[in-house]
Every structure is written in C-alpha cells, then in structure tokens.
C-alpha cells in the first residue's frame, strides 16, 4: 500500500432528520492509491450513505474528508468531481433515451459558437475516454439499446471521463449476472493496475473476497473492522456483517411424489425480448420446492409470466392443480390457489403509496366481510402478522417508508401468511441482506413442509442450493432437469449449465 | 404524470387546503379593498350577504348540489388513477337529453317524468364518457386528453343544436322549449329554488365514501389506481376498474346537468353548464378527493359564487373576482407546506 | 392569388402560432411535465402585449411585458409544484382559470370593457419579400404573409434548435428521462425545470402576441382553444420538432378548410370549430396521442 491515502474519511456521522435514522456514526476509512477497497455490510448499514457523501450528493453532519492529505468539503457532486472522484450509483442514472456520449458530457457540454451543443466533440471525448479503459462502447448508441454490463461501462466512463482516478461503485453487480459481474471485476482490476483507486460497495461476500484488496465492514452505521481478504472467508465475513445471524444451513430434501401443482406440458413461448422458451415440460408436486436457475436473458422472466398466468404460451399448456391456467379466473386463482412473490417486488408485488395495511388487505382476510367488525379484525390480524414477522412499523404507515428487506417481509406476510397449494417465488431474496434472505427461505421451506408445491425461479446458484429440493437449469429457453439435489449435483455442474459450458 | 401514483408527500395534511382557502379569500378581500368605491359595503355584500337572507342561503345550498355530484365523479376517477376532464360536455349532454326526453314524453305522472328525465341525463353523461372509457380499457388510451377533446366537440355541437334545430323560436333566450312544470324539480321552500338535489348529492357522497373506504371493490379500485401492474398480479378485475369509474363519473356529470336543466331553468339553455365540470375538479381537489369533504367544499365554492354575484349586484364589483378566487383555490389545493417546501430529491 | 394559394397561405398563418405554443409545450413535456396551461399563457401574453403596447405606444415594451407576464405565470405554476409540492398538472389548470378571471378584471379597469378592443395600430401589415413572392405557388403562400408571421417562423426555428441542438435542450430531455442523471452530473434539476416552464411561457407569449397582431385587436379568449390544440400537437408530433411542424400544419389546413367551408357552404361555425376537436379526439381515442411517455425500465 502506498504511504499517503488518496482519500480518507475521519469520524464521519450522518443522521437523517426526517426519519431520525442514524445512517453513519463515526466512520473512518482510508483508500490507498491503486487499491480496490470494499465496503461491506447488510442493507441499511450505511454503505450507500457513505458513497453518496463521498460523491458530494449528501453532506455529512460531522467528520472530515481528506483528499491526498488535504481537507475538503463537498457541497455538490461537481466538488468531488474536480478532485477526481467519480461515482457509479446502485441504480443506473443514465438517461435512457440519450446516447452514451450525451450522457457522458451532460453538465459539461462542449459548445459550438458558445450556445450550441458540439456533438462531434462530445462523441470524440467519449470515444477517447472509453478507449482509455479499452471499453468497446459506441458513443453514439442509445443507452436503452445497451446491455446491463454495457450500461455499467458507460457509467464508469461518465464517472472518470474528466480525468478522475477515484471510482466509487455502489452495488455495481446487483443488476448483473454472475458472469457479467466477473467481467466487471476484471475490468476494475485493470483500472486499479493502471493506478486508479476503487471503493466497492457490496453485500455479495464471495465477489468481494475475490475482487478486493482490503475490506471494511460496516454494521449499523459504524466500522466493525478493516481486514485483508486472506484473513477471512465467506462464512466468517457474512457473520461479521450480520447484526444477528448465523451462517445458513440447508434442510434435507422433503418427501415428494404428491399431487401435481404446476405442470408445464410442452410449452412454447416467444418473448418480446426474443428469448424463446422451447418445449418446456416439468411438474412441481405438493410438498416440494422445485428450483429453476437461469442467468439474465435466458427466459426466466418469460417463464415467470407464464407460471403466474400473466401471459399465455403460444403452444402447449401450463396447468395449475390439474386445470389449465387460462381457465382459472384470475381473482379465484390468487385468492385461494396461488401465492406469488414476483421479481419486480415494488412494481408488481406491492403497491407503493398505499399503506402497509392496504397492501396486506389486498390479499388477507375474508373477502366478504367488510363490516366495521370485519375491518377491525383484519387490522388486528395485520398487527399480529407484522409482529410475527418482526416488523415494528404501524400498519397505517405508507409502505414506501420501509426498507427493501422490510417490504419483502410484508410481501411474505401477505403471500405466505395463509396457506395456498401453489407458491411461485421469483428471485425472492434478490437485494436482501443475509438475515432477511434466511427468513424468506425458512418461510418457503415451512410452506413446502405443510404440503404446498413451490416453484422457485432464481438467478442465484446459492439460493438454488439452499432451498430447492429438485433443481433444473434454464439456458437459452431450454430446460435441463437435474433431479433431486444430492451430492452428485454440484454447484460447478450447475454453473457450467447456466453458462452453457456443458450444453 | 399520473395523478394516483405519486407517493404521499410530507407536510401537514390539509395545510394546502388552508393555504388555498386563505389565498382565495385574501385575494378577494384585497381586490375589494383596492377597487370598490365603498369597501365596507362590498365586503358585506361579498362575504356576508349570502347568509343574510334565507332565500339567498337556500339558493346557495341548491347550487352546491350539481358541482358536488361532478366532484364525486372526479374523485372516483382520480382514485382509479386518471382525470376526467370532460365534465363540461358530459353535464351539457345530460342537461340537453333530460329536457329532450321530457319534451318527447309530455303525459307521464310528474315524479315518474322527473325521475325519467334525471335518468336520461345520467345516461347521456355516461354516453359521452363511453368512448373514453372503452378506449382506456381496450387500448390503454389516454383519458385526460380523450375526455377533454370529446367533451369540447360535444359542447360545440350542442351549442349549435340549441341555437338551431332545438331552439324554442318563441323565446328570447337561446334555449330549448320549457318542459312541463310537473317534471321540474319540486321547490321545497319558495321563493328559493331549494329542492331535494342537495340531499341527493349528500346521499351520493355517503355512498361513495362507504364504497371507497369499506368495501373490497373500493380498496381494489384504489390500489388499481395507484399501481395497475400490482392490481393485475393480485388478480383484481382491472378491466372493470379501467372502465366503470369513468362511466360512473360521466353519469354523475350528466345527472348534474339534468339537475341544472330541470331546476331553475326548466329547459336547456345555451352554455348552461358554465364551467361546472371545472368547478367539479376544483372541488374534488380542494377536498383531497375525500368524499366526506366534497359537499363542504362544494358549499364553499357556491358561497364564493353567490358572494361575487351579490357583490356585483350590490356593490358593482366584477364577478370575475369569484373566478380569480376559485383559480387560487385550484392552484394551492394540492399543496403541502409548512417546513416541507424543500423536499429531499431522493426518489 | 388562386384559391389553393389562399388556402395554403392561411393554413400556414394559422399553423405558426400553434406550432410555437406547441414547441413551448415541448419544453416542459421533455422535462417530464404535462403543461396544460398553454391556453392561459397565450391569453396572458396577448393581453399583456395589448395593454403595454397600446399604453406606451412601444411594440418592444409590449413584447417585453408579454414575455414577462407569461413567463411569470408559468413560473408561478412551477413554484407551486416545486416549493409547495402541488400537483403540477392541477397548478397548470389553475393558471388557466386565473388568467381567465384576472384578464376579465383587468380588461374592465384598463379598457373599460370585458369585450373586444380594436387596436388598429397593432395590426401587422402584409410584407411581400421581394422577388421571393414572385415564385409560383410558393411565393404567394410563403412570402406574402403578415410581418409577424416571418418573426414567428424565426422564433419557431430558434425554439426547435434550442430543443434539439443546445446544452439546454439536452438537459431538458435528460431531466424528463431520468432526473438523477442531471444530479450526478452536477446540474440542479430544479433549475432546469424552472427554465423549462419559463421557456414554455415565453413561447406562448409570442404566440399570443402574434394572434393579437394578426387581427389588430384584443379579443377575450383570444386563444380559443389553440393552447389545447398545441398540446395535442405535441403528442401527435411524437415530441419531435419535425413531427410538431407536420401536426401543426395539419391543424392549420383543417382550420383553413373549415373557414372556407363556413363562408362557401354556410356551415354553422360551431360545427366547424368542433371538427378539429373531434378529429383529435379520434386520434386520442385510438391510442395515437398519449400524455405519458413509456418509462424505460433498467
């Protein structure tokens, strides 16, 4: 490590007055030149706040920021940028309808005659910057036409286009598949070797261990420790991040052979994204968790839409409990047969802007009883269910106030709180911290023990192996069944199938 | 911009309402101070004279009924996630058809004729809203634009029809012939025009409130308005929720028009709606789309109108003061303030 | 001039104010705001111009007053939305109503009437552009317009360039697509939004001035629905300046035709006026015009 840190923070504290939450308290860390410094922690540990402060998007209440030994104060993103600090936020902040070049020069537009936008220079500057990082990006192509990794590249170019050498990435791989993530980390290492310094914010323990030079662990807004990857392993690191959690263990496979819950009979479906599901045939039975894994772009989203009845297959059939899914009235289907945890949690699973109670009442309670007493009973039930789930929020608060993990808890309470014979869970733990993840898995497991047939669609091999009884892999719209999860089905084998190496 | 989708804003609920009322009354008072020859008399005429005589007060209450119905329809459509901007044409059509139907059926018993006329009005309003409702449900077309445009076309066609083929040649007014006296709204307290219309409006408000707050369908409709994708995934009957609120709103607007036509006028007069559709929107917004507050808000608007009319008769103040006051209500009705002006820009 | 040329020239003269107001609507629309106040902003601009130009005898002061008045009203709606978190759509509706009331009040005090005020000195004369006006067909159509029309055309061109080829236009579009893209680039999205409103008000003011100068009078409700039609033009034109031009010209032709039909066939004026609304309603009902852009996910 170099002697003088490029970027150093001392005793940084930040409280959000509107909610009273302490995001950071007394955080110190230092970033050396040419290192990848990971900051890990659970959801809500303060990682994103730290990143926003370092990028000048938020201001700390107290504490000092030093850049190359000089104390600085960031009032706006441009202040950070002048000192060579660029940020890639968790959620893409690229204007989708503009070109890469237009996004890169936004706010610093090169001008022609003093008032016009100089498109050629914008194109040239962007081409030059991406060539510096050897990105094969076309500055003229529209953001909405780029793949997720290409969008990440465009954001890195934007962050460093004006000569920056400190890059802050907030959960950069959350929208990437595992292989895309590896490509990104390769790229970060190249940047580092070229002399740049990187702060990598993540909760993906394994990725961090392989990519980072040093790791700072945040918990509840405070630094727990700063360590080298060699001093820890994934289980240990997960434990130190967690405020109270144990490293997960999987249950044994449940008994199978019951009644068919989901049944795909030679289903073919052509998705608008041009992924074609071909001749899907499989059966999910009562009492089991049937897991299907796939990387993005292989048809998992289309499969989710087919299984929940949102879309209808072009040929073949999808049956639920022996009845063609098309013949199920949608309200009856969701009232008594199918519980559904969608991938698009906030868009499809919950109704933002409505209260927690309203989100719960969209499902729970007897549909007919809307008298005063019925409503009071439902309210009491909502209280009880929230408490059971460890939630402390009042039922009348808008659901928007909850964090991602707590929103998923509400969703789980609604969808898994009452028994239905069929459960469809699509990426149920994406973006959750280990504790919320384990809770969700346990709920799925206990529903399966009670006799529900669960179809789990996931893009995480970890999840597949943690909860599925039988596993299958979807690659380019074709399904490969691997049968009951045993010692013979290894993670390596699944990964090979996912990436098409074994096809 | 989607009306139902915005999250809850911080700030004191109702602070916008207070600001709206304050700005409206303040502006009216300032104008009177600046422009009136005798400010004292003008003040009394504007603010107090509506309450001075029972007849004026009764008329004030009667005049709140029709806009109240329009506002209830607006609130219902708002809850389902859209704006019905076609209140004007829907009410106009309701008024015209109720009169036409009763002119064509001269020999019914009075109450049956009146009920039939009101039903015809509601039908006509719903009919004008029908294309927008159908295209919203089947094509996802934009209600905001389509309701407004259809309504504008309907207004112009009715303006022509009432001035032309439907006009009563014997009258000085550009209006249709007068319906049978038995078909007109019964006057409960002559000489005022007070009828059962305010009771009808109040009953509609209570019914809508019960529907939205304590019925399964009401909750589903509200959730659909906030997030249609969610409603689809929960198995709600989204096609119905994309269709019926707009149609019901059209019917309420049509009913309001019929009440106007069968009340004081007894006929369809050219331009009879006089901005009732827009007033309905303002009232709904002032009441925060809460059916319980819509009748009081409608009474407030009626008071502003009566006050500005009285001030123009008694003190020579322009009636446009009332328009400005209503505009300020609309401007601030959806505001939230007191310490929350600077929102955090985090989405 | 033969009837075809007359018709085309009139269509162009009708289309230009609508196009400029529509470009004003495009500024806010691109920034993600549905601006239904165009109608009121046109009326306010026309009225402020009539009052100031008539009162001072100076066209320049009249234009300045119109720009200031419409931009201030647009900014009022913007401020209500931004500072007080009012619903921007409702605030814009309120501006329309406010203009209707306030113009009525002011007209009574300034002109002593709420009716038509002839302003003969403000009528813009027809200007023939030298040899250009001699070109067959194009000459009579394009180059024998009123003076104000040439200025309008220039203003439209400037607005279109500002939208598609300046940093300001780029920021507007970025704001509408993803607000955060501006914030991370160090640009204050609120400032951009205010500028969008102000630009929208200025464009409408110029359109209002053009209306007043082309008839040489102040007429209550001088916009008579043009602001709403301009809004529709924004959507029919698919939010591209060239598309807006085509849609505005289409409306200009429709109005010109209906004027001709009115005088030749004695069709009632109400039915003629209903035609553009009905035609646009058909487009809106068939899903052709939308007030909401599709949101890009990811």
């Amino acid at each position: 490590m170099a002697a003088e840190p490029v970027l150093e923070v001392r005793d940084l504290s930040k409280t959000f007055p509107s909610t009273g939450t302490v995001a950071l308290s007394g955080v110190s860390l230092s970033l050396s030149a040419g290192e990848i410094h990971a900051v890990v922690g659970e959801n809500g540990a303060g990682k994103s706040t730290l990143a926003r402060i370092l990028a000048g998007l938020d201001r700390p209440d107290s504490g000092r920021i030093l850049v190359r030994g000089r104390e600085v104060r960031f009032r706006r993103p441009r202040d950070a940028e002048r000192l060579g600090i660029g940020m890639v936020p968790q959620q893409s902040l690229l204007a989708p309808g503009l070109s890469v070049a237009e996004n890169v020069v936004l706010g610093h537009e090169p001008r022609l005659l003093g008032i016009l936008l100089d498109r050629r220079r914008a194109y040239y500057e962007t081409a030059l910057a991406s060539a510096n990082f050897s990105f094969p990006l076309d500055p003229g192509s529209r953001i909405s036409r780029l793949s997720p990794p290409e969008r990440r590249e465009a954001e890195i170019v934007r962050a460093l286009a004006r000569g920056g050498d400190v890059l802050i990435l907030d959960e950069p791989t959350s929208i990437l598949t595992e292989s895309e993530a590896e490509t990104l980390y390769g790229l970060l290492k190249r940047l580092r070797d070229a002399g740049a310094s990187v702060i990598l914010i993540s909760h993906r323990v394994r990725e961090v261990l392989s990519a980072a030079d040093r790791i700072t662990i945040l918990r509840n807004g405070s630094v727990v420790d700063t360590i080298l990857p060699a001093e820890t392993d994934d289980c240990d690191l997960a434990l130190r991040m967690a405020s109270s959690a144990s490293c997960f263990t999987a249950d044994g496979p449940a008994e199978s052979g019951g009644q068919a819950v989901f049944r795909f009979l030679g289903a073919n479906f052509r998705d608008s994204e041009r992924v074609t599901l071909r001749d899907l045939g499989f059966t999910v039975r009562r009492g089991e968790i049937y897991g299907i894994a796939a990387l993005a772009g292989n048809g998992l989203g289309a499969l989710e839409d087919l299984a929940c009845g949102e879309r209808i297959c072009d040929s073949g059939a999808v049956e639920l409990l022996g009845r063609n899914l098309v013949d199920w009235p949608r309200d009856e289907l969701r009232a008594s047969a199918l519980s559904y945890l969608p991938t698009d949690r906030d868009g499809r699973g919950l109704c933002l802007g409505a209260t927690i109670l309203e989100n719960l009442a969209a499902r729970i309670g007897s549909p007919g009883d809307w008298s005063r007493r019925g409503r009071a009973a439902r309210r009491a039930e909502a209280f009880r269910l929230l408490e059971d789930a460890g939630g402390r929020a009042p039922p009348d608060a808008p659901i928007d106030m909850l964090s991602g993990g707590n929103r998923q808890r509400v969703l789980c309470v609604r969808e898994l709180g009452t028994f239905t014979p069929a459960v469809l869970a699509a990426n149920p733990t994406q973006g959750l911290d280990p504790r919320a993840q384990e809770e969700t898995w346990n709920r799925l497991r206990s529903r399966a023990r009670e006799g529900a047939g669960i179809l789990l669609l996931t893009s995480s091999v970890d999840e597949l192996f943690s909860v599925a009884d039988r596993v299958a892999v979807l690659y380019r719209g074709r399904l490969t069944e691997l049968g009951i999860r045993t010692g013979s089905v290894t993670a390596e084998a699944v990964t090979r199938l996912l990436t098409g190496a074994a096809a | 911009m989607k009306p139902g989708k915005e999250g809850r804003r911080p700030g004191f609920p109702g602070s916008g309402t207070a600001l709206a009322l304050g700005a409206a009354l303040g502006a009216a008072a300032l104008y009177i101070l600046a422009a009136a020859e005798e400010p004292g008399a003008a003040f009394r005429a504007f603010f107090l004279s509506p309450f001075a005589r029972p007849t004026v007060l009764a008329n004030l209450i009667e005049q709140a009924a029709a806009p109240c119905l329009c506002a209830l329809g607006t609130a219902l459509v708002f809850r389902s996630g859209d704006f019905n901007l076609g209140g004007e044409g829907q009410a106009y059509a309701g008024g015209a058809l109720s009169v036409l139907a009763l002119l064509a059926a001269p020999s019914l018993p009075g109450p049956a004729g009146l009920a039939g006329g009101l039903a015809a009005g509601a039908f006509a309003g719903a009919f004008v809203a029908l294309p927008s409702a159908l295209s919203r449900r089947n094509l996802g077309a934009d209600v905001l634009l389509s309701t407004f445009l259809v309504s504008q076309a309907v207004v112009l066609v009715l303006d022509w029809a009432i001035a032309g083929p439907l006009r009563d040649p014997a009258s000085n007014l550009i209006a249709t012939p007068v319906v049978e006296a038995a078909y007109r709204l019964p006057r409960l307290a002559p000489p005022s025009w007070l009828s059962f219309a305010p009771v009808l409006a109040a009953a509609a408000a209570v019914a809508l409130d019960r529907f939205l707050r304590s019925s399964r369908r009401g909750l589903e409709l509200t959730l659909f308005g906030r997030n249609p994708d969610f409603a689809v995934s929960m198995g709600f009957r989204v096609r119905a929720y994309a269709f019926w609120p707009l149609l019901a709103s059209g019917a309420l607007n049509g009913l309001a028009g019929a009440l106007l036509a069968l009340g004081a006028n007894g006929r369809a007069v050219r331009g009879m709606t006089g901005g009732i559709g827009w007033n309905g929107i303002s009232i709904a917004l002032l009441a925060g789309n809460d059916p319980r507050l819509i009748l009081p808000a409608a009474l407030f608007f009626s008071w502003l109108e009566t006050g500005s009319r009285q001030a123009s008769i008694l003190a020579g103040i322009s009636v446009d003061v009332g328009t400005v006051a209503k505009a300020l209500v609309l401007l601030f009705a959806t505001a939230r303030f007191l310490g929350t002006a600077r929102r955090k820009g985090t989405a | 001039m033969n009837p075809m040329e007359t018709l085309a020239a009139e269509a162009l003269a009708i289309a230009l104010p609508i196009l400029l107001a529509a470009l004003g609507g495009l500024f806010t629309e691109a920034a993600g705001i549905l601006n239904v106040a165009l109608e009121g902003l046109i009326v306010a601009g026309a009225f402020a111009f009539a009052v100031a130009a008539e009162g001072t005898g100076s066209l320049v002061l009249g234009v300045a007053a119109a720009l200031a008045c419409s931009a201030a009203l647009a900014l009022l709606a913007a401020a209500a939305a931004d500072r007080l978190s009012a619903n921007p759509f409702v605030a814009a509706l309120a501006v329309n109503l406010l203009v209707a009331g306030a113009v009525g009040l002011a007209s009574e005090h300034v002109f002593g009437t709420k009716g038509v005020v002839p302003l003969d000195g403000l009528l813009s004369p027809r200007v023939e552009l030298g040899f250009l006006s001699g070109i067959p067909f194009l000459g009579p159509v394009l180059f024998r317009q009123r003076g104000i029309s040439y200025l309008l055309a220039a203003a439209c061109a400037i607005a279109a360039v500002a939208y598609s080829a300046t940093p300001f236009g780029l920021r507007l579009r970025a704001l509408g697509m993803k607000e955060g893209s501006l914030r991370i680039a160090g640009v204050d999205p609120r400032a951009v939004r205010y500028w969008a409103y102000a630009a929208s008000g200025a464009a409408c003011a110029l359109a209002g001035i053009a209306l007043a100068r082309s008839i040489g009078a102040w007429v209550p409700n001088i916009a008579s629905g043009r602001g709403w039609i301009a809004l529709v033009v924004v959507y029919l034109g698919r939010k591209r300046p060239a598309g807006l031009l085509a849609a505005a010209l289409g409306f200009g032709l429709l109005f010109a035709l209906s004027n001709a039909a009115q005088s030749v066939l004695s069709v009632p004026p109400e039915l003629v006026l209903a035609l553009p609304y009905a035609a646009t309603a058909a487009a809106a009902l068939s899903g052709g015009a939308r007030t909401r852009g599709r949101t890009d996910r990811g």
Side-chain angles (χ1 to χ4, degrees):
Chain A
M1 303 297 139
E4 189 183 48
V6 180
L7 176 66
E8 194 179 359
V9 299
R10 292 190 192 146
D11 287 329
L12 218 54
S13 293
K14 171 86 186 169
T15 305
F16 286 107
S18 54
T19 53
T21 35
V22 179
L24 296 175
S25 69
V27 167
S28 302
L29 89 119
S30 71
L31 175 70
S32 311
E35 76 162 340
I36 296 179
H37 191 134
V39 177
V40 300
E42 285 188 316
N43 292 330
K47 306 181 302 264
S48 291
T49 310
L50 179 63
R52 291 178 57 85
I53 289 175
L54 290 178
L57 286 161
D58 265 335
R59 276 184 244 177
D61 299 334
S62 63
R64 301 161 64 193
I65 304 172
L66 291 87
V67 177
R68 293 179 191 85
R70 248 185 55 226
E71 181 159 356
V72 292
R73 231 167 249 287
F74 297 151
R75 289 198 179 74
R76 56 186 78 86
R78 204 165 282 196
D79 296 342
E81 191 185 270
R82 272 198 204 102
L83 294 164
I85 301 173
M87 174 169 172
V88 175
Q90 181 174 2
Q91 248 125 32
S92 166
L93 289 184
L94 296 164
L98 300 183
S99 69
V100 175
E102 285 172 322
N103 269 288
V104 167
V105 301
L106 193 64
H108 308 263
E109 301 87 353
R111 284 169 197 242
L112 203 65
L113 309 172
I115 48 164
L116 296 180
L117 175 68
D118 189 342
R119 285 179 197 281
R120 279 182 56 205
R121 244 178 71 207
Y123 189 96
Y124 175 72
E125 281 176 14
T126 308
L128 199 67
S130 41
N132 270 344
F133 311 128
S134 41
F135 292 165
L137 270 181
D138 172 14
S141 54
R142 224 184 240 205
I143 297 296
S144 53
R145 302 229 172 90
L146 300 183
S147 67
E150 286 173 325
R151 291 183 195 194
R152 282 290 179 236
E153 289 176 6
E155 281 183 291
I156 293 173
V157 170
R158 175 175 62 186
L160 299 182
R162 276 162 291 277
D165 59 358
V166 177
L167 186 62
I168 302 165
L169 296 118
D170 189 1
E171 302 278 7
T173 59
S174 60
I175 56 164
L176 302 185
T177 62
E178 287 173 37
S179 63
E180 290 167 352
E182 262 169 46
T183 315
L184 180 78
Y185 287 124
L187 197 147
L188 291 183
K189 284 176 183 163
R190 282 214 309 277
L191 279 177
R192 171 196 61 190
D193 297 341
S197 317
V198 176
I199 289 186
L200 170 67
I201 288 179
S202 180
H203 61 229
R204 298 196 172 183
V205 170
R206 282 195 195 159
E207 293 179 8
V208 161
L209 281 173
S210 67
D213 300 316
R214 276 198 296 165
I215 302 169
T216 291
I217 305 163
L218 274 186
R219 192 162 71 204
N220 297 332
S222 309
V223 174
V224 176
D225 204 354
T226 297
I227 52 174
L228 299 175
E231 300 166 1
T232 180
D233 59 41
D234 49 3
C235 202
D236 171 63
L237 193 54
L239 267 176
R240 297 174 73 166
M241 273 164 59
S243 34
S244 66
S246 60
C247 215
F248 42 78
T249 54
D251 292 355
E255 291 290 307
S256 182
Q259 184 202 350
V261 176
F262 292 95
R263 178 175 238 158
F264 278 64
L265 301 159
N268 288 289
F269 178 65
R270 192 185 175 84
D271 193 15
S272 55
E273 311 152 16
R274 310 231 309 235
V275 183
T276 306
L277 297 179
R278 289 192 197 85
D279 199 28
L280 286 186
F282 63 92
T283 306
V284 183
R285 297 185 181 280
R286 283 196 156 220
E288 69 168 348
I289 301 179
Y290 188 96
I292 298 179
L295 301 180
N298 286 295
L300 203 64
L303 179 54
E304 179 184 345
D305 285 351
L306 286 186
C308 73
E310 186 101 341
R311 303 221 232 159
I312 300 161
C313 47
D314 304 329
S315 64
V318 181
E319 283 180 3
L320 192 92
L321 299 164
R323 186 173 171 192
N324 197 324
L325 202 51
V326 207
D327 299 331
W328 277 92
R330 295 246 358 143
D331 46 354
E332 190 190 327
L333 173 77
R334 292 286 276 116
S336 57
L338 174 69
S339 296
Y340 175 31
L341 302 171
T343 301
D344 183 7
R345 203 174 296 151
D346 290 345
R348 202 184 264 186
L350 294 169
C351 183
L352 298 188
T355 65
I356 299 173
L357 185 61
E358 285 169 338
N359 270 286
L360 287 170
R363 180 81 188 280
I364 59 170
S366 51
D369 190 5
W370 279 80
S371 65
R372 195 175 289 265
R373 262 183 44 216
R375 277 180 285 148
R378 194 166 39 246
R379 212 185 139 75
E381 193 185 352
F383 254 122
R384 190 181 57 76
L385 286 169
L386 277 175
E387 251 172 30
D388 285 357
R392 281 168 299 273
D396 289 315
I399 192 113
D400 313 41
M401 287 176 48
L402 301 183
S403 68
N406 281 331
R407 284 184 200 175
Q408 181 72 347
R409 280 193 188 108
V410 172
L411 188 56
C412 280
V413 164
R414 189 186 73 212
E415 294 298 327
L416 302 178
T418 47
F419 179 83
T420 54
V423 176
L424 172 63
N427 285 313
T429 63
Q430 197 171 50
L432 298 190
D433 59 51
R435 195 172 132 228
Q437 188 176 42
E438 187 61 22
E439 268 179 39
T440 309
W441 286 346
N442 278 333
R443 283 173 176 281
L444 289 173
R445 289 182 191 119
S446 70
R447 276 289 167 245
R449 273 197 300 275
E450 291 163 29
I454 298 178
L455 176 57
L456 171 75
L457 307 177
T458 181
S459 43
S460 145
V461 179
D462 263 3
E463 182 160 81
L464 188 71
F465 274 83
S466 300
V467 285
D469 301 315
R470 284 200 292 153
V471 295
V473 169
L474 190 67
Y475 180 72
R476 294 192 185 278
R478 285 183 192 282
L479 193 75
T480 311
E481 293 198 76
L482 296 171
I484 296 173
R485 181 189 54 176
T486 61
S488 63
V489 182
T490 61
E492 281 79 5
V494 171
T495 310
R496 276 209 307 279
L497 279 170
L498 284 172
T499 53
Chain B
M1 194 227 54
K2 175 133 185 141
K5 241 185 172 174
E6 73 213 22
R8 301 203 172 197
R9 293 184 226 91
F12 289 90
S15 58
T17 308
L19 179 61
L21 297 181
L25 298 179
L30 274 179
Y31 179 78
I32 290 170
L33 269 181
E37 284 162 21
E38 288 176 73
F43 267 118
R44 273 195 302 283
F46 192 98
F47 292 106
L48 299 178
S49 73
F51 305 109
R53 285 178 23 230
T55 308
V56 179
L57 185 59
N59 283 343
L60 186 158
I61 293 169
E62 173 72 16
Q63 277 163 15
C68 176
L69 289 173
C70 295
L72 291 171
T74 304
L76 180 63
V77 175
F78 187 93
R79 288 293 188 100
S80 79
D82 240 311
F83 262 113
N84 177 7
L85 292 191
E88 212 58 28
Q90 291 154 12
Y92 204 177
L97 191 71
S98 66
V99 169
L100 288 184
L102 292 179
L103 287 174
S107 54
L108 288 171
L114 177 56
L118 294 180
F123 172 80
F127 187 76
V128 173
L130 182 67
S132 306
L134 281 175
S135 75
R136 179 190 185 191
R137 184 184 70 183
N138 297 339
L139 302 169
D142 202 279
V143 170
L144 201 80
L145 278 179
S146 74
T147 48
F148 172 75
L149 293 165
V150 170
S151 154
Q152 285 300 98
V154 166
V155 165
L156 287 162
V157 169
L158 286 174
D159 273 350
W160 161 75
I162 290 175
L166 302 179
R167 182 168 179 183
D168 176 11
S171 167
N172 290 330
L173 277 174
I174 302 177
T176 62
V178 179
V179 298
E180 295 285 327
Y183 296 160
R184 295 174 61 175
L185 291 180
R187 295 166 74 173
L188 304 179
S192 81
W193 292 100
L194 187 67
S195 71
F196 61 80
V199 181
L200 192 66
V206 171
L208 184 63
D209 180 50
R210 303 237 18 185
F211 170 71
L212 286 176
R213 279 200 312 140
S214 42
S215 80
R216 168 103 212 142
R217 299 261 175 251
L219 174 69
E220 289 187 3
L221 180 128
T222 307
L223 294 177
F224 164 72
R226 285 187 186 281
N227 183 350
D229 290 347
F230 170 79
V232 169
S233 114
M234 291 308 294
F236 298 168
R237 298 179 179 178
V238 289
R239 284 171 60 82
Y241 295 132
F243 182 76
W244 289 110
L246 191 51
L247 214 63
S249 172
L252 284 167
N253 283 322
L255 182 60
L259 289 175
L260 289 184
L262 301 180
N265 294 322
R267 51 163 68 169
V269 183
R270 184 177 159 133
M272 57 181 266
T273 48
I276 192 177
W278 300 109
N279 277 353
I281 292 171
S282 303
I283 291 167
L285 291 168
L286 181 64
N289 292 295
D290 184 338
R292 289 169 294 178
L293 299 177
I294 282 178
L295 188 57
L299 285 169
F300 173 77
F301 259 59
S302 186
W303 172 55
L304 275 184
E305 265 172 19
T306 309
S308 56
R309 211 172 322 117
Q310 291 279 341
S312 92
I313 297 165
L314 301 175
I317 295 289
S318 167
V319 286
D320 284 325
V321 179
T323 311
V324 171
K326 283 194 277 184
L328 291 172
V329 168
L330 197 54
L331 184 61
F332 295 118
T334 58
R336 295 278 163 100
F337 77 125
L338 295 181
T340 58
R342 278 176 179 277
R343 271 176 303 160
K344 267 262 159 248
T346 48
Chain C
M1 278 168 67
N2 65 39
M4 282 299 287
E5 289 167 352
T6 315
L7 190 72
E10 198 187 339
L12 186 62
I14 296 172
L16 281 171
I18 294 178
L19 176 60
L20 187 55
L23 285 164
L26 182 61
F27 287 142
T28 46
E29 181 61 35
I33 310 143
L34 172 66
N35 188 354
V36 291
L38 300 180
E39 179 85 1
L41 296 174
I42 294 174
V43 173
F47 182 74
F49 171 75
V51 171
E54 182 75 358
T56 64
S58 157
L59 286 179
V60 176
L61 283 179
V63 171
L67 289 175
C69 181
S70 290
L73 278 167
L75 289 173
L76 176 69
D82 180 60
R83 307 288 307 185
L84 300 174
S85 319
N87 181 323
F89 167 73
V90 175
L93 274 184
V95 165
N96 282 335
L97 195 60
L98 187 64
V99 168
V103 162
L105 282 184
S107 179
E108 251 177 274
H109 285 279
V110 178
F111 297 127
T113 169
K114 283 167 76 175
V116 176
V117 182
L119 307 162
D120 296 328
L122 297 182
L123 184 66
S124 174
R126 290 202 177 270
V127 178
E128 294 199 5
L129 288 190
F131 74 93
L132 287 174
S133 62
I135 303 172
F137 188 73
L138 288 183
V141 174
L142 296 179
F143 304 114
R144 288 185 202 166
Q145 296 279 349
R146 293 189 187 282
I148 189 73
S149 290
Y150 303 114
L151 296 178
L152 263 183
C156 287
I158 291 171
V161 167
Y163 175 77
S164 46
T166 64
F168 170 65
L170 182 66
R171 291 174 185 191
L172 279 185
R173 283 176 284 149
L175 173 61
M177 292 171 196
K178 188 149 286 183
E179 190 170 323
S181 68
L182 283 179
R183 212 176 292 120
I184 200 167
V187 181
D188 183 1
R190 295 169 63 219
V192 177
R193 198 174 297 124
Y194 277 108
W195 277 110
Y197 272 101
S200 176
C204 287
L206 293 177
I209 292 169
L211 292 179
R213 291 209 61 189
S214 62
I215 49 177
W218 157 251
V219 182
N221 192 18
I222 192 166
S224 60
R226 284 183 181 79
W228 292 98
I229 289 166
L231 199 60
V232 171
V233 163
V234 175
Y235 300 113
L236 287 183
R238 305 223 170 257
K239 304 182 190 175
R240 292 196 194 96
L244 262 61
L245 175 65
L249 285 176
F251 272 112
L253 193 60
L254 196 61
F255 276 117
L257 274 173
S258 59
N259 286 349
Q262 204 174 318
S263 53
V264 178
L265 306 170
S266 70
V267 181
E270 292 95 343
L271 293 189
V272 169
L273 279 173
L275 207 60
Y277 287 111
T280 322
L285 287 171
S286 61
R290 304 218 164 169
T291 52
R292 284 163 220 145
R294 280 171 219 95
T295 47
D296 180 281
R297 281 166 196 249

